[in-house]
Amino acid sequence: MYKENYKLLIADDEYWTREKFRNIIKWQDYGIEFLEPVENGQEVLDVLERERVDILITDINMPLVNGVELISLVKKKYPDVVMFVVSGYDDFEYVKSSLISGAINYLLKPVSKMDLVSAISKALEWISVQEKNKIQTLKMSSLLQDREYSMLVEKKEMSFASNINLDESLDRAGCSLLLIKIHNLKELMEKYQYDMNLLSYSIKKKIKELNCHKDLLVFNYIYRSNEFILLSDLDNAELDKMALKIENYFRGETTSPITITISEHLYSIESIHSAYIQSVSLLMLRKYKKESVIISDKRVKQSITNQTVNAPLTKEVEAQLKLLLKAGNKDALQRMVFDTIGIRKCEKEQWSYLAVRQTVKRICNILSDHMMEKQHSKEIFDLAGLVEVADKTIELLDNRELCNVMEEILVLVSDSKKEKLSGSMKEVVGQAIGYIDSNYFESLSLTSLAKQFGVESSYFSKLFRQVTGDNLMSYIAKKRIERAKDYMHNEDMNLAEIAFSVGYDDYTYFNKVFRKMEGISPKTYRSQL
């Protein structure tokens, strides 16, 4: 949440229009003070006499002083005010006159949320040109677009349609959605000093520069911070060229694999939710391998008959897995998961991303059912946390790290014997705890920590749990959530920024972990402070 830096004034003689503007956006979240709306041009001039106004949105047809006259007067006396006009279809001549008089663009009634977001973002960009702290205003404009457009993706059905877009000339009827997924944000997070807003703004700016298309809308999907969404009405050949340019750009920015999916053409902007779901479905078809790929709906339809489906977890294998769990045979259990089922070989055998997710999920469900039967509440809680870590690790396309998380899960489920701890091993665990406490925001894993402290990973996991009473990943999560709660006292940081600062590049995942630890969402927790 930003401190209020800018003042917005609405002028319209219709009460419900004024109230719609008041409530359609949470203005304070973007550093904007929503001044009490007024009914006519004379009242606007009265407000300007006593108060600074940065952005003015005014209707054309108003009593006393109409919109065209008002804009001309304001432009002469208050040249720094950024102005938009609101008009109906039959006001074209008035609109043209207002643009000549000094308005930078217009909103067509009925005004949609998307149009308003574009208008305010454009206004902030205009303001930033005159400011010393330009980047802060541009980041604010970027965040406004990211948040509000992301909400449109979340909605399965939209109750409005956008008429025009002031920031882009995108004709949304017949556009395609491109989903860009950065599978590991670690390097980019470090490059932008863990400033998510700066990272988002910079990447979007670069994508627009690369393509030089006016008909391009790009935003960072806030519910998955490592995803960027583009909407464009270019044809398939141009979309392929655009995707290739974007892939080459990221190749020079990060070693993380990138997946770019291109949906089929949308009928209209109301279809954005469906297009996103389709793009995620295309992503699931990619090979589980650390390499960047571009997948289009067209190519998938052409090659769908050549698709192979991995189904290593048969009913017979599931039965054997359950028997090994009951017997408590840790070594045989690991051979079953890693070799017979083949988790260790999924990259070599070119499993699909979806096959890996489904197989790991089915294994974890069997393990969870087994733990529920034993009714060990602490272990059940720890297992649930590790299962979430495994699910998140799959996204990294890192087979080695996935195997290490799965190994930690199997140790928790099958090995209840305690080791005798020497003084030196207690010291090693103590050093690891100290390192985690100081570096909780880094990309920490069982593999990296075991290697750093010179201990075999499964043995290190077991020792850590004996000393602390927590498995490694649960301890890291607790430390991150504790720090997140401290950050929540700082009103200048929004929840997505807090998640980023404590080591989560995905707000949805952070939200899930927070709920698990605290029993309420981060938003509810903060509201109760």
Side-chain angles (χ1 to χ4, degrees), residues 33-173:
E33 180 183 349
F34 188 88
L35 299 174
E36 188 60 33
V38 297
E39 298 182 31
N40 57 64
Q42 184 57 54
E43 290 183 355
V44 170
L45 297 173
D46 292 342
V47 171
L48 289 169
E49 284 291 331
R50 63 177 184 268
E51 193 156 12
R52 186 193 92 238
V53 173
D54 299 292
I55 304 169
L56 170 64
I57 298 179
T58 178
D59 191 11
I60 288 285
N61 289 316
M62 296 185 297
L64 301 182
V65 179
N66 71 31
V68 176
E69 295 171 330
L70 175 64
I71 288 167
S72 181
L73 290 169
V74 172
K75 187 65 178 177
K76 290 176 183 176
K77 194 169 183 180
Y78 308 98
D80 293 335
V81 177
V82 179
M83 293 176 284
F84 291 86
V85 292
V86 179
S87 70
Y89 282 103
D90 54 354
D91 289 332
F92 179 72
E93 288 303 319
Y94 282 124
V95 169
K96 188 165 66 172
S97 299
S98 67
L99 294 176
I100 293 171
S101 298
I104 66 171
N105 219 315
Y106 67 97
L107 297 168
L108 194 61
K109 287 187 175 181
V111 178
S112 74
K113 186 173 185 177
M114 215 168 174
D115 292 329
L116 187 56
V117 168
S118 295
I120 299 302
S121 295
K122 186 171 184 178
L124 290 172
E125 289 170 9
W126 276 64
I127 292 170
S128 72
V129 175
Q130 311 299 327
E131 290 186 328
K132 292 182 180 179
N133 192 15
K134 177 178 179 179
I135 191 63
Q136 188 69 12
T137 304
L138 290 174
K139 282 162 55 179
M140 190 187 306
S141 170
S142 173
L143 175 63
L144 172 64
Q145 294 178 65
D146 290 345
R147 280 191 185 175
E148 302 300 333
Y149 292 155
S150 294
M151 291 178 192
L152 301 183
V153 177
E154 288 292 290
K155 291 184 179 181
K156 295 182 181 179
E157 294 181 2
M158 291 166 55
S159 59
F160 60 85
S162 180
N163 296 308
I164 57 169
N165 185 337
L166 300 175
D167 192 36
E168 320 287 344
S169 58
L170 175 65
D171 174 12
R172 298 187 187 84

Side-chain angles (χ1 to χ4, degrees), residues 371-385:
M371 293 297 286
M372 291 292 286
E373 289 176 8
K374 292 172 68 175
Q375 295 183 338
H376 293 168
S377 57
K378 177 66 168 65
E379 284 77 6
I380 292 169
F381 183 84
D382 287 346
L383 177 60

Side-chain angles (χ1 to χ4, degrees), residues 15 21 45 53 110 122 231 237 266 322 350 382 394 417 522:
Y15 170 78
F21 276 116
L45 297 173
V53 173
K122 186 171 184 178
L231 296 176
L266 311 177
K322 290 174 183 177
Q350 297 193 357
D382 287 346
I394 290 170
K417 296 178 183 177

Side-chain angles (χ1 to χ4, degrees), residues 181 183 224 226-227 276 280-289 310-313 341-343 346-347 350-365 387-399 402 406 506 508-509 512:
K181 189 173 189 71
H183 287 271
R224 295 279 188 277
N226 62 344
E227 293 181 1
Y276 175 74
V280 172
S281 300
L282 292 174
L283 185 149
M284 292 294 167
L285 297 176
R286 67 153 293 151
K287 294 289 186 289
Y288 193 78
K289 191 175 182 180
N310 305 90
L313 199 54
I341 296 173
I343 294 297
C346 64
E347 182 175 349
Q350 297 193 357
W351 290 21
S352 70
Y353 188 88
L354 178 62
V356 175
R357 290 189 76 95
Q358 288 182 331
T359 303
V360 169
K361 184 177 181 180
R362 288 174 68 186
I363 292 170
C364 290
N365 284 343
V387 169
E388 289 173 1
V389 173
D391 186 61
K392 183 63 180 170
T393 303
I394 290 170
E395 192 172 322
L396 303 177
L397 300 174
D398 188 334
N399 188 220
L402 173 61
M406 291 302 294
D506 183 339
T508 303
Y509 181 54
K512 188 184 294 185

Side-chain angles (χ1 to χ4, degrees), residues 247-264:
E247 182 190 22
N248 288 335
Y249 159 66
F250 279 111
R251 200 187 299 277
E253 291 291 303
T254 177
T255 58
S256 168
I258 308 294
T259 301
I260 302 176
T261 63
I262 308 172
S263 77
E264 63 183 358

Side-chain angles (χ1 to χ4, degrees), residues 12-44:
D12 197 295
D13 59 350
E14 295 178 358
Y15 170 78
W16 293 114
T17 299
R18 298 196 300 272
E19 289 307 297
K20 180 180 180 180
F21 276 116
R22 186 197 301 274
N23 298 309
I24 196 170
I25 291 173
K26 293 182 178 179
W27 300 103
Q28 68 276 10
D29 288 355
Y30 308 109
I32 297 172
E33 180 183 349
F34 188 88
L35 299 174
E36 188 60 33
V38 297
E39 298 182 31
N40 57 64
Q42 184 57 54
E43 290 183 355
V44 170

